[in-house]
Amino acid sequence: MLEIKHLTKAYERVILKDVCLSFKEKGLYVITGQSGCGKSTLLNMIGGLDSNYQGIIEMDGRDIQTIPRYIQKYVGFIFQQFHLIEEMSVKENETLISYFKRIFSAKKEILLSQLKLKNLQSYKTKLLSGGQKQRIAIYRGFIANHPVVLCDEPTGALDVKNSEEVFKTLKELAKEKLVIVISHDEKLASKYHDYLYEIKNQQIHLVHQNKIKETITAKEKTTKKSFFQFLLKDFKLCWKSHFIVIQVLFIALLSIMLTLSLTNSTNKQIQAQLEKIIPSTTIMLKKKNNEMLTQKDLQNIHHKEITYRFLQNDDVEFLGISPLKKYQTNKTLYISDYIQKPKYKIQGKEIGNDQEIILARSTYEQLIYLTKQKSLMNQEVYLFFDYQNEVKSYPVKIVGIEEKETVMETLYLKEFAFNHYLQELYQLEQGHTAFLQVKNKKAMKILKEKYPIYQFKLANSSLSSTIDKKFKQIEIIFLGFSSLSIITACFLLGFVLYLMVIKRKKYFAILQTLGASLKQVCFIALFQGLIISGVAFFEAFLVLNQLFVLANTLIKESISNLMDNFFIVSYEMMGVMFIVVLIFTLLCSMVPIKKVKEIEIIEALKG
């Protein structure tokens, strides 16, 4: 099973020279010798902790240096200094190995009773005596499904009574596994060994051999816990030390989330209100030669998507609407939007002729408030126009109210009614600009091809692109400042992870002796960074959501129901930001992970 072939080990001098030794599958092998003769060195080489030697150590006919995850598959350790995790409870230390190796679940209760550990499960490990700690280490060494247990001075830190107990336990457990013990205690070694060896003059010599009764061990069921469960337990173990880092990163992430979300939400709301005032389905047109347009020109433009036409003379100013025949500024409501067709439900009736108009609900209520009237439905009101400083009015009747709140005061007319008013009042039949309302803005492409003498463009395109450009500039400025806090937080994260690796070198070394692979240990360090970033990100995300809920409630109370939610969290943008945060975390974790890879297990265990 385990065989050493021509093994030579040297430091400044040769410690072991051309050593050859075979071990059986079961039994208690005790190796003695003077201090510095190479006992612990031999054990470290057999355990795969030290690979700097000449010769071959074989397990099941294979060189152990070629066996992937050798410790996890074959070897358990019991150390003189126990190497338990002091911050964990007894139970947590016992189960630690089950995250990296398969354990004999059926033997658990038997072994706990045998080692007298049942009543200590909830105790903190740091409160235990040396003998109790060593029994936990023994439990860990024998509960796992590995065929070899290596014990380096397991009684070195114990009194006589506890030392005797440990050897008794090892002798009993050696009936099922190969147990190799390094010991200075020649009395106990002589009393309990199956095979007694001594290292002397760079060689290992058989001193005595007892007859071993061969036993056949039935194959037992094994279980293994999830490595992800261990990652969560590990974070719980050190979350207090990460709390401040999480809060610093939280503030940095919240600031950049606010920056992105505020600029994005404000831009979207302005675009949404612009869409209500000048829909993207409104096409503006002029003649390419800058000639004036007529009503006939518009009537000759045909497309099934066109629903409304409006001709505007830029020399005429529309002053607004009032119930008074004579123009008075303080009694006249200025109308900003009058080039569209109603889209929503109407209280009253549809427009039947040029003398009938419909007002948006908010505009009608504003006109009532301005004029102190109780009702203006089906009453005559006046539209006022100014052309070359000559103000004239045109009588119309309010026949309907559109059930719609609008940001700007809105009035609806019959198609070409505005043009007819100007013909009657000022004998103006032409206009500079026309507007076409269409069902789908894609119709503009066909109109351009069909009517090349006209210049077509979306009515809100110039203003929309200008707003986008300005907000992008604002966003870049804010992002610049916010990025400084992110970079600072990331440097802090990387520094904290680096210090964590330095502080926990022994901890990582212990995990590797329990069967954790180098990749797993590196991932433990990386996971610390990922979970710090993740917790900070989701904390910032939740706070952002609550801030926006509060802000939207206050805005709704102040401006009624003109808009649903002013501030909106973009989940797509948050998703992209989360990916960026993870990438930053990966970059920050590179140096700590490199430090983990450089850990020398033997040296770290001495720390």
Side-chain angles (χ1 to χ4, degrees), residues 13-114:
R13 61 183 179 85
V14 176
I15 304 295
L16 298 168
K17 185 176 181 181
D18 199 33
V19 172
C20 296
L21 182 63
S22 295
F23 298 86
K24 294 191 175 182
E25 289 189 4
K26 298 172 188 175
L28 180 61
Y29 286 73
V30 183
I31 301 173
T32 62
Q34 294 182 350
S35 295
C37 69
K39 300 187 301 296
S40 294
T41 300
L42 176 64
L43 212 66
N44 290 332
M45 290 187 290
I46 293 172
L49 302 181
D50 184 352
S51 58
N52 186 21
Y53 56 82
Q54 293 177 320
I56 297 174
I57 300 174
E58 288 184 351
M59 180 68 73
D60 294 338
R62 294 175 64 190
D63 187 339
I64 65 170
Q65 294 196 37
T66 66
I67 300 174
R69 307 191 79 164
Y70 167 68
I71 294 176
Q72 184 188 62
K73 293 176 181 177
Y74 289 98
V75 182
F77 292 92
I78 299 172
F79 296 99
Q80 177 182 349
Q81 299 302 326
F82 324 125
H83 295 320
L84 306 177
I85 310 302
E86 296 287 317
E87 297 81 7
M88 290 183 176
S89 68
V90 171
K91 185 176 182 180
E92 287 171 331
N93 266 291
E94 289 168 356
T95 58
L96 192 59
I97 198 167
S98 65
Y99 295 105
F100 308 107
K101 295 186 178 186
R102 302 193 71 83
I103 65 167
F104 298 111
S105 50
K107 277 187 179 177
K108 182 178 176 181
E109 293 301 318
I110 299 169
L111 204 53
L112 287 174
S113 296
Q114 191 175 350

Side-chain angles (χ1 to χ4, degrees), residues 195-315:
Y195 298 88
L196 180 61
Y197 284 88
E198 181 184 14
I199 296 179
K200 192 174 182 180
N201 298 326
Q202 304 168 355
Q203 292 290 317
I204 184 164
H205 307 280
L206 178 64
V207 177
H208 187 263
Q209 174 182 344
N210 290 320
K211 288 185 178 180
I212 300 176
K213 186 179 178 181
E214 294 290 335
T215 58
I216 300 173
T217 306
K219 192 173 182 180
E220 298 180 56
K221 184 181 179 182
T222 59
T223 59
K224 185 173 180 286
K225 291 191 174 185
S226 164
F227 179 60
F228 182 72
Q229 286 178 290
F230 170 77
L231 292 174
L232 295 177
K233 184 179 285 290
D234 181 64
F235 181 76
K236 183 181 175 182
L237 192 66
C238 54
W239 77 269
K240 288 181 181 178
S241 61
H242 294 332
F243 181 76
I244 294 175
V245 185
I246 290 172
Q247 298 316 308
V248 171
L249 192 57
F250 152 71
I251 293 169
L253 290 171
L254 183 61
S255 66
I256 202 165
M257 281 182 183
L258 279 169
T259 298
L260 291 170
S261 297
L262 285 173
T263 52
N264 186 53
S265 294
T266 306
N267 188 17
K268 280 187 175 180
Q269 286 300 334
I270 290 174
Q271 295 289 357
Q273 298 309 317
L274 180 62
E275 177 70 19
K276 291 178 181 178
I277 298 165
I278 311 173
S280 58
T281 53
T282 301
I283 297 172
M284 184 173 71
L285 68 95
K286 291 183 178 182
K287 283 189 175 180
K288 288 184 177 179
N289 56 11
N290 291 324
E291 289 183 4
M292 300 287 278
L293 292 162
T294 65
Q295 179 177 325
K296 188 176 181 181
D297 289 333
L298 294 186
Q299 289 172 331
N300 287 332
I301 296 175
H302 301 287
H303 192 284
K304 63 180 180 179
E305 297 289 326
I306 297 174
T307 59
Y308 189 76
R309 298 170 177 82
F310 185 90
L311 181 62
Q312 178 173 293
N313 190 305
D314 297 339
D315 294 330

Side-chain angles (χ1 to χ4, degrees), residues 420-439:
H420 297 159
Y421 301 157
L422 300 188
Q423 287 180 33
E424 188 173 331
L425 295 174
Y426 301 110
Q427 291 74 53
L428 297 173
E429 296 184 359
Q430 297 178 321
H432 300 82
T433 310
F435 296 91
L436 304 176
Q437 199 168 330
V438 296
K439 295 176 183 177

Side-chain angles (χ1 to χ4, degrees), residues 525-544:
L526 173 61
F527 186 77
Q528 293 286 327
L530 292 174
I531 202 165
I532 287 171
S533 300
V535 170
F537 180 89
F538 285 108
E539 184 183 357
F541 180 72
L542 291 173
V543 171
L544 180 72

Side-chain angles (χ1 to χ4, degrees), residues 187 232 338 473 538 569:
K187 182 180 177 182
L232 295 177
Y338 49 89
Q473 292 171 348
F538 285 108
V569 178

